Amino acid sequence: MRRRLLARALFACALLLSFAPVRTSRADAGSFSDAEVLAAEASTRLELVQTRVTAYEQKGFGYQSQAGPLSGPGSETLHVLQVQGEFVMHQGERLTHRVWVPVDLVTSASANAVDSYYAKPDVISTASAQNLASEIQYQLSARADDDSTWNAGAGVHHEENFLSWFYSLEYERTLAEKNATLSVAWNQILDWFDAFTLGGKRAGRASRASSNVNVGLSQLLSPSTLVGVSYGLTLQRGELSNTWNSVPTAAGGRVSESLPKERVRHAASLSLAQWLPWGGALKLRYRFYRDDWDVSAHSAEVELRQSLADWLIVGASYRYHHQTGVSFFTTSAPPGLKYVTADSDLALLFAQALGVNAAVTLPTASFGSLVLSCGYEHYFRSDALRVNVATWATGFHF
Amino acid sequence: MTDGVLKVLAGVALGAAGLAVATLLGGCAVVPQNHRAHFADPVMRDADDALDAHRKRKLYTTREAAAGGDGKTAGGGCSCQ
């Protein structure tokens, strides 16, 4: 199993490294004539190449997990190693290409479904042994004129028991001498995945579709103040459970989670960014959320960034989140309920997150600016779930 | 937190949003191009690290019942509701 997992991780790294020739082709440009080089420089230009590695360590307990006593709660222990790569390239004056490849190496997050080393998936003792999730997304930005830009994106996500397709289309228009920007976006996701019984046997395939419309408006209020508002409406249909979540019953057993087949979600946010005269910036954000499963949520975030030198920026952030639970949440289900869940993510809770980060920018002779950044974030919830997140990134900004 | 407090917070939020929209639509003082240097300061940039934004969004949306409103879809993908 470990060798198989290692092989997959190496494959994922190879996929990331396969984009390296993008830079090499420029370095080899000496074999072309000066005119060809100048023409190529005018038509395509690499703007950004960066990678980010993030490690998550989660500890906690939830009644949906079977990794514990029959009446719960079970373990939600989880480790994730996430590798992301991003490439941004301009083609001419109007087109921008962005390729983004996140790869997640996950333990104990989702069912280990098709691994041939196991006769059946493990959805009980450790939720899953190990899993590898990979994704690739592409976005094309086309500037129609001086004020209008179209962004179109597509992508695919794959993990052992799960396939997902993405599509997005966005229109951005600047207004009032570029003092304001209006954006309208449509996102579509289609998920197709294995369904499981509580014992870990496959129960056919399931699917869900998520359709989303977002409207956003940002406005310069002064030479140092930027505000923005946005609203998003999402309609989801299909199997909205992961199918292996369980619910303890009042009789001392467990039943499968059962969720409504439709969900309508509204979210509105308000943000403010203020430049500070001592080389800093203050960013505030508030978000209100409401859906037809009776969840209301408030999230507030404050971030401070400070430039300590031309090459060094440090930052700190705090986030508070409060949500009501879904109306059918229970940790001891009576018989006969149509909808029931014990998923701790759907319960009444509040969560806080504290983060710090630093970024160093170093000019290089031939690769633009080298940007190195690192950060740490501690996320903790009222139900004792804890997540430690460490992240570091390396990138070249040309 | 009680329902009453939530309603008050929701009212404050809606009021703030309404005020912001009114401000935006009311035609604020135009900031000339040559007075926008502060927005180019690296400390003000938001979008220069989409990868960090992604990992943050995933941390929150996979552990909470509320998502969306930030230009991305709420739910879907990665076995999340």
Side-chain angles (χ1 to χ4, degrees):
Chain A
M1 178 61 198
R2 285 181 185 277
R3 272 189 293 177
R4 185 181 173 86
L5 192 64
L6 181 63
R8 285 179 180 159
L10 289 173
F11 172 76
C13 292
L15 184 64
L16 285 175
L17 292 174
S18 67
F19 289 90
V22 169
R23 180 65 213 176
T24 307
S25 64
R26 293 188 66 188
D28 294 342
S31 60
F32 298 95
S33 69
D34 290 347
E36 287 173 321
V37 171
L38 289 173
E41 289 289 334
S43 60
T44 61
R45 180 172 58 85
L46 195 58
E47 178 184 303
L48 170 69
V49 177
Q50 68 169 334
T51 60
R52 176 171 288 275
V53 179
T54 305
Y56 301 78
E57 179 205 38
Q58 172 178 296
K59 291 188 183 303
F61 293 90
Y63 283 86
Q64 80 279 12
S65 170
Q66 296 187 74
L70 189 59
S71 56
S75 172
E76 287 190 287
T77 298
L78 165 72
H79 296 90
V80 179
L81 185 63
Q82 180 186 68
V83 181
Q84 300 181 74
E86 182 187 27
F87 309 85
V88 179
M89 177 182 284
H90 291 291
Q91 180 181 0
E93 294 186 353
R94 292 183 179 274
L95 299 181
T96 302
H97 306 271
R98 176 179 184 252
V99 177
W100 170 54
V101 185
V103 177
D104 291 6
L105 185 61
V106 184
T107 70
S108 303
S110 46
N112 198 12
V114 296
D115 194 314
S116 59
Y117 283 79
Y118 289 96
K120 68 176 185 179
D122 180 1
V123 299
I124 301 174
S125 61
T126 58
S128 69
Q130 281 138 342
N131 204 352
L132 182 65
S134 53
E135 185 173 316
I136 183 166
Q137 289 200 30
Y138 168 74
Q139 178 177 289
L140 172 66
S141 296
R143 195 158 57 85
D145 56 46
D146 200 36
D147 289 316
S148 304
T149 302
W150 288 91
N151 300 310
V156 61
H157 174 99
H158 174 260
E159 55 189 272
E160 284 189 2
N161 64 313
F162 187 88
L163 270 173
S164 187
W165 293 268
F166 313 96
Y167 182 77
S168 66
L169 185 64
E170 180 182 33
Y171 174 72
E172 283 184 340
R173 182 170 183 82
T174 59
L175 306 165
E177 299 176 26
K178 300 187 187 300
N179 273 252
T181 302
L182 173 69
S183 65
V184 180
W186 171 56
N187 298 285
Q188 182 68 45
I189 300 179
L190 179 64
D191 301 329
W192 192 50
F193 49 98
D194 290 340
F196 299 106
T197 65
L198 282 185
K201 291 182 179 175
R202 286 192 197 84
R205 302 286 283 179
S207 64
R208 75 170 74 98
S210 303
S211 306
N212 162 260
V213 176
N214 273 277
V215 181
L217 184 65
S218 63
Q219 166 79 50
L220 303 182
L221 285 186
S222 77
S224 60
T225 310
L226 172 68
V227 296
V229 292
S230 71
Y231 167 75
L233 169 66
T234 300
L235 172 64
Q236 290 184 278
R237 280 186 174 157
E239 179 53 75
L240 301 184
S241 169
N242 61 19
T243 72
W244 65 81
N245 274 352
S246 65
V247 183
T249 63
R254 279 185 179 264
V255 294
S256 292
E257 175 184 70
S258 174
L259 301 179
K261 303 299 182 194
E262 186 172 302
R263 191 176 187 183
V264 181
R265 316 173 74 160
H266 307 267
S269 67
L270 179 64
S271 63
L272 180 144
Q274 176 65 50
W275 183 83
L276 302 172
W278 47 87
L282 171 68
K283 298 178 182 181
L284 302 172
R285 185 164 183 257
Y286 169 78
R287 192 167 147 280
F288 175 70
Y289 171 92
R290 176 80 184 166
D291 68 26
D292 62 351
W293 289 9
D294 288 340
V295 175
S296 293
H298 304 268
S299 307
E301 190 169 0
V302 56
E303 181 183 6
L304 269 170
R305 301 188 76 194
Q306 179 64 48
S307 174
L308 297 181
D310 287 344
W311 51 273
L312 175 62
I313 293 175
V314 297
S317 63
Y318 171 76
R319 177 180 182 270
Y320 177 86
H321 171 82
H322 175 275
Q323 69 180 43
T324 59
V326 298
S327 53
F328 43 89
F329 178 86
T330 180
T331 58
S332 180
L337 290 180
K338 185 178 181 183
Y339 301 123
V340 63
T341 183
D343 188 345
S344 61
D345 298 345
L346 298 179
L348 168 72
L349 60 85
F350 67 83
Q352 299 177 79
L354 286 164
V356 291
N357 59 74
V360 172
T361 303
L362 303 170
T364 66
S366 55
F367 290 98
S369 297
L370 169 63
V371 179
L372 306 169
S373 64
C374 62
Y376 169 78
E377 188 167 0
H378 181 61
Y379 176 89
F380 52 106
R381 287 196 328 205
S382 53
D383 61 0
L385 186 100
R386 300 277 187 275
V387 187
N388 290 303
V389 183
T391 182
W392 54 97
T394 305
F396 289 99
H397 295 235
F398 297 98
Chain B
M1 198 174 288
T2 65
D3 284 350
V5 175
L6 285 177
K7 284 179 182 174
V8 170
L9 282 173
V12 170
L14 287 174
L19 183 64
V21 171
T23 303
L24 297 179
L25 298 180
C28 307
V30 171
V31 179
Q33 290 269 10
N34 58 352
H35 288 185
R36 298 180 191 172
H38 296 326
F39 298 110
D41 191 322
V43 296
M44 284 287 281
R45 284 186 207 152
D46 238 357
D48 61 349
D49 197 346
L51 303 188
D52 198 39
H54 167 73
R55 71 100 192 149
K56 268 194 162 187
R57 187 180 301 115
K58 189 161 187 177
L59 171 67
Y60 303 143
T61 58
T62 56
R63 289 166 181 82
E64 295 165 359
D70 51 2
K72 300 292 180 185
T73 187
C78 308
S79 280
C80 309
Q81 294 99 358

